[in-house]
Amino acid sequence: QVQLVESGGGRVQPGGSLRLSCAASGIIFSAYAMGWYRQAPGKQRELVARFTTGGNTNYADSVKGRFTISRDNAKNTVYLQMDSLKPEDTAVYYCTVPVVPRTYWGQGTQVTVSS
């Protein structure tokens, strides 16, 4: 059974940093791409960052230069380093892995950026 468990969310002031972690189990971690999505109040769920098995990364325009996705295959963990956080980054962040024929989601972790 595939399980994804996020951690590292919390409340920070604008300009602060957080690092989210997602521990995966039930899959051969290195064989799959990993992604981070978020859903903010009043907005659709959006793809924030993606890390492929080939080492390629993609970011939403809104987070480029501020967020960094990385993965540690030995630890079955994917990370999202978030710097220079803005209030508009406030959202529930989800870790995902596409495993044909479905995509698995973690439970989500809340990130709140406010003064």
Side-chain angles (χ1 to χ4, degrees), residues 10-33:
R11 182 183 296 272
V12 297
Q13 295 184 346
S17 297
L18 286 172
R19 189 173 78 156
L20 306 183
S21 298
C22 172
S25 62
I27 60 170
I28 302 174
F29 182 80
S30 62
Y32 297 93

Side-chain angles (χ1 to χ4, degrees), residues 6 35-39 45 92-96 105-108:
E6 299 100 334
W36 287 97
Y37 281 76
R38 70 184 181 187
Q39 187 162 28
R45 182 153 36 214
V92 178
Y93 285 72
Y94 299 91
C95 176
T96 68
W105 295 73
Q107 81 286 354

Side-chain angles (χ1 to χ4, degrees), residues 1-85:
Q1 179 167 247
V2 178
Q3 290 189 328
L4 303 171
V5 181
E6 299 100 334
S7 62
R11 182 183 296 272
V12 297
Q13 295 184 346
S17 297
L18 286 172
R19 189 173 78 156
L20 306 183
S21 298
C22 172
S25 62
I27 60 170
I28 302 174
F29 182 80
S30 62
Y32 297 93
M34 302 293 297
W36 287 97
Y37 281 76
R38 70 184 181 187
Q39 187 162 28
K43 298 182 179 180
Q44 293 184 336
R45 182 153 36 214
E46 65 173 336
L47 177 65
V48 177
R50 182 174 178 268
F51 201 133
T52 73
T53 56
N56 296 314
T57 59
N58 292 284
Y59 298 93
D61 288 341
S62 59
V63 307
K64 286 182 179 178
R66 300 188 298 117
F67 290 12
T68 303
I69 188 171
S70 61
R71 64 190 295 164
D72 187 336
N73 289 339
K75 297 181 178 179
N76 288 1
T77 300
V78 62
Y79 305 95
L80 186 67
Q81 178 67 43
M82 305 185 294
D83 299 319
S84 301
L85 283 162

